[in-house]
Structure formats: C-alpha cells, structure tokens
Amino acid sequence: MKKKFLMGLASVFVLAACGNGATTEESDTIKLGGNFELSGGASAYGTLMDEGIKMAVAEQNAADGLLGKEIEYVSYDNKSEPSESTSVATRLATEDNVVAILGPATTGAANAQSPAVTRAKVPAILPAATGDGVTMDGDSVLEYVFRVCFQDSFQGKALAEFAQTDLQATKAVILVDNSTDYAIGLADAFKETFTGDIVAEENFTAGDTDFKAILTNIANLDYDVIFLPGYYEEGGLIIKQAREMGIVQPILGPDGFANSTLVELAGADNVDNVFYASHFTPNSEDPKVQDFLADFEAEYGKPADSFAALAYDAAQLVFDAIANADSTDPQAITDALAATEDFEGVTGTFSFDENHNPIKSAFVIELQDGVEVGNSIVEPAK
C-alpha cells in the first residue's frame, strides 16, 4: 500500500443517480455497488464501511484497476431501514447494473436485501452482518450471499469460553437487548457454552437511556462477569451507569462495541475491565494491517475501526474474485467467491465454508481506561 494510491477520492467515484447500462466484458469500467447505513441508527458502522471500500477502490485504480479496466463504485444510503436496503439493492442490481454489491452493515438490512440479489443473480458480500443464517434460506445456502465476518453463534461461544478460561468466571449475569435478534442470538450462544451459573438475566430495549433499575437488580448479587450483548449506544451508557453505581465486575460485549462512541458515552475512566469480541485489532504487528491503518488515517483524518477493516477486506475479496474469474460476469464472480481459499485480508486469513461463512479467528479486546491494552485470539472449531 502506498500513500500515492489515495489520490482525490472524489474524482474516483461516480455516484450516479441511475445506471448507464450493464457492465459487460466490453465496458471500460467495472461497476461495484454499495448498500450502506449512511444515516440512521447504524450510520456509525455504515459510514466507516463505505469509506473503507472507497479507499480500496482508489488503491486498486491507482494500481491499474482490474482486467485493464477502472473500477467505478456507486453507493447509496439505506437509512438503516430494512425496506430501504431492499430498494437500494434492487436499484443497484437492475438500474446501475453492478457486478457485485458490498454491504449492508447489519443483519436485518442484509436479510432484506437477499431476495433482491437472488432474483438479479448478483453477488452480495456482507462485511459485518453477523446474524446466524444470513447466508441461508432455511437449510439451503443462498448462492449469491457471502460474508467476511464471523457469526454471532461463534462470537457468543468465544466470549463464554473467554469468561471461563481467561477470567475464571463461574457465575455470570446477562444484560440483553431483547429488541434485536442480534443480541438475543448472542445471549443464547453464550448460555449454551457457559458451564457456570447464570445468576440473573435482565432485559432492555434499543433506545433506552436509563438503566438504573436493571443495574440495581444485579448490584448486590454474587457473580464474576457481566455479559452485555447489544450495540455501542446502550452499551456505553450501561457501562457508565454501572461503574458509577460501584459495579466493578468485568463486562463482556460483542463486536457491536467496536466503535469509539462506546468510550465517549461511557467516559474513558469508566471503561475498565471491559472486553469485547472483534474481527480486527489495530495492535497487530502485521505490516499489511499497519499500512491500512496509516493510509486510512491519512485519507480521512480519523482512525479505522474493525468495520472499516471488514469492508476494506470485502472489497479486496471482490477484486480477488474478479481477477480469479478473469471476468466481470456476475455468475463467474459468484463462482470464484465460493471457491475462495486462504484469502489474506487485514482482518485475517480465511477460506469460505460450504455456507459462504469465513473460517476465521476472533479477537477478544481488553479495554482499560478506554484504551486497548491487550487482546486474545479465539480460534474456530476444527
């Protein structure tokens, strides 16, 4: 990666309002689509993902593109709404005639998109939709849906194993966002794996801001760890209120904690003994990771997080599939994606399993005073 690759992103992307005909083998460009949460509740994830892809496209174009052609990236805002995700996917596939779609960020939006990409026979690569079954239709794999992130069941189990082995926890409390399938699935996976006692389980709802009642219910119980499946908005506030009430037990969270807003909401002084599952660590010594981080900060003036890294890998995965297929035909790209083995990204090296899920490791990040001070690696089951 060279800094000279990151030249004037605005000049690289044509964010067209409508398509200009199908991308064919004779076209001068290869058109990719982005379906992301650029506004609404999940915009903190979607915006960074969109930026990660733009950077990947700029680098690839500066290195002479693909198959002798320039890559054109067209992205639209799904507004963090599943119905908008469907509309964006349909627009990209049928009007803009993209050869592949990157995104969306969340499981609900990804599920809403799947029928559209299946009808259009255009592959979709999901950077961070972790919900179990998002690549499946019942017992059948969705031919055109892939992801580069691990599943919720894997991270829920990984956090339970971490609680038992690294934190030596034998008693746990679960505080779960019962308004999202994401959090409920994580809680179920944790409970299936944790061999100790679940001494209490309290529920909250996305959008809540006052958690004193549920925290009061657990304040005087005997337990070793709190598992908090949910997103950074509520997670940050719960951490703040828990620590201010004198609750000092370690708090475990999922990849939904992986945003700097978590620390801003909680206050850095309160973010001690907080651990969360992540697809990526900026403390990696891998030169590829460090180059990515330096280039992203140079281009956007802010640090990349795991969501930017996942999206960057999703774009690189598409480039790799197009090169391996030696074609811009969506079906050829789909077949090449399914055959991916040992893809080396900034979030790790992986191959796809038969259900289009990556076989990859997870990191458990440790935060003290709001700063990452260590990480552990949890390997997938053999």
Side-chain angles (χ1 to χ4, degrees):
M1 240 181 263
K2 305 291 186 184
K3 297 295 188 301
K4 65 181 181 182
F5 287 2
L6 308 181
M7 299 182 294
L9 289 178
S11 67
V12 177
F13 309 104
V14 180
L15 301 182
C18 59
N20 59 355
T23 301
T24 68
E25 301 293 344
E26 293 76 31
S27 298
D28 293 331
T29 62
I30 298 172
K31 187 178 286 189
L32 302 180
N35 180 2
F36 284 110
E37 295 82 340
L38 304 180
S39 65
S43 60
Y45 305 128
T47 300
L48 279 160
M49 290 185 188
D50 193 52
E51 291 170 344
I53 291 167
K54 287 178 179 178
M55 191 175 87
V57 171
E59 291 174 355
Q60 191 67 40
N61 281 338
D64 297 326
L66 275 170
L67 309 184
K69 302 176 182 182
E70 185 174 79
I71 302 165
E72 180 183 353
Y73 177 57
V74 183
S75 67
Y76 300 113
D77 180 13
N78 64 38
K79 304 177 184 177
S80 301
E81 295 289 342
S83 60
E84 286 291 332
S85 178
T86 302
S87 298
V88 168
T90 301
R91 180 179 184 182
L92 287 168
T94 63
E95 296 181 29
D96 291 301
N97 297 295
V98 300
V99 302
I101 294 173
L102 295 152
T106 61
T107 294
N111 285 333
Q113 169 184 261
S114 292
V117 300
T118 298
R119 285 193 299 270
K121 298 184 178 181
V122 172
I125 300 86
L126 311 172
T130 55
D132 285 12
V134 78
T135 64
M136 305 294 291
D137 180 11
D139 294 330
S140 301
V141 67
L142 290 166
E143 181 178 0
Y144 299 97
V145 180
F146 302 80
R147 60 172 147 199
V148 298
C149 56
F150 48 67
Q151 299 181 77
D152 286 341
S153 57
F154 173 56
Q155 64 171 320
K157 292 174 182 176
L159 288 164
E161 291 171 1
F162 178 83
Q164 292 170 168
T165 59
D166 290 65
L167 301 180
Q168 323 251 290
T170 60
K171 298 177 182 179
V173 163
I174 300 177
L175 306 179
V176 59
D177 175 359
N178 68 352
S179 65
T180 66
D181 291 339
Y182 168 73
I184 293 169
L186 284 163
D188 288 343
F190 184 93
K191 287 185 286 188
E192 288 170 7
T193 304
F194 189 71
T195 59
D197 296 327
I198 306 298
V199 300
E201 183 170 343
E202 297 283 342
N203 297 322
F204 63 91
T205 300
D208 288 350
T209 58
D210 186 348
F211 303 96
K212 293 184 180 63
I214 63 172
L215 292 172
T216 297
N217 290 343
I218 68 167
N220 296 316
L221 299 179
D222 177 21
Y223 58 93
D224 306 308
V225 67
I226 296 171
F227 181 49
L228 176 48
Y231 292 108
Y232 65 88
E233 300 99 320
E234 293 77 27
L237 293 174
I238 290 173
I239 292 168
K240 175 181 173 64
Q241 292 170 32
R243 295 305 190 230
E244 289 177 347
M245 289 176 63
I247 296 172
V248 298
Q249 284 90 338
I251 295 174
L252 300 184
D255 65 327
F257 276 25
N259 188 278
S260 60
T261 306
L262 177 92
V263 177
E264 294 172 13
L265 290 169
D269 291 346
N270 293 317
V271 187
D272 278 332
N273 293 326
V274 173
F275 304 82
Y276 69 90
S278 181
H279 310 262
F280 169 80
T281 173
N283 288 337
S284 169
E285 296 180 358
D286 185 340
K288 181 165 66 266
V289 172
Q290 293 306 313
D291 284 346
F292 163 73
L293 291 167
D295 288 350
F296 191 93
E297 184 139 20
E299 185 59 43
Y300 296 111
K302 59 186 176 185
D305 65 4
S306 65
F307 295 100
L310 285 166
Y312 182 86
D313 274 359
Q316 297 289 350
L317 180 68
V318 174
F319 303 160
D320 185 65
I322 292 170
N324 288 336
D326 194 26
S327 172
T328 59
D329 175 64
Q331 187 62 55
I333 296 168
T334 300
D335 294 341
L337 285 166
T340 295
E341 291 186 354
D342 299 324
F343 172 79
E344 295 183 9
V346 296
T347 64
T349 298
F350 65 85
S351 304
F352 280 122
D353 67 14
E354 67 276 10
N355 295 328
H356 298 177
N357 296 309
I359 304 168
K360 66 193 302 188
S361 303
F363 295 95
V364 178
I365 306 297
E366 177 183 355
L367 298 177
Q368 300 290 350
D369 291 325
V371 177
E372 179 181 338
V373 298
N375 62 78
S376 302
I377 297 175
V378 181
E379 301 288 351
K382 299 297 185 184

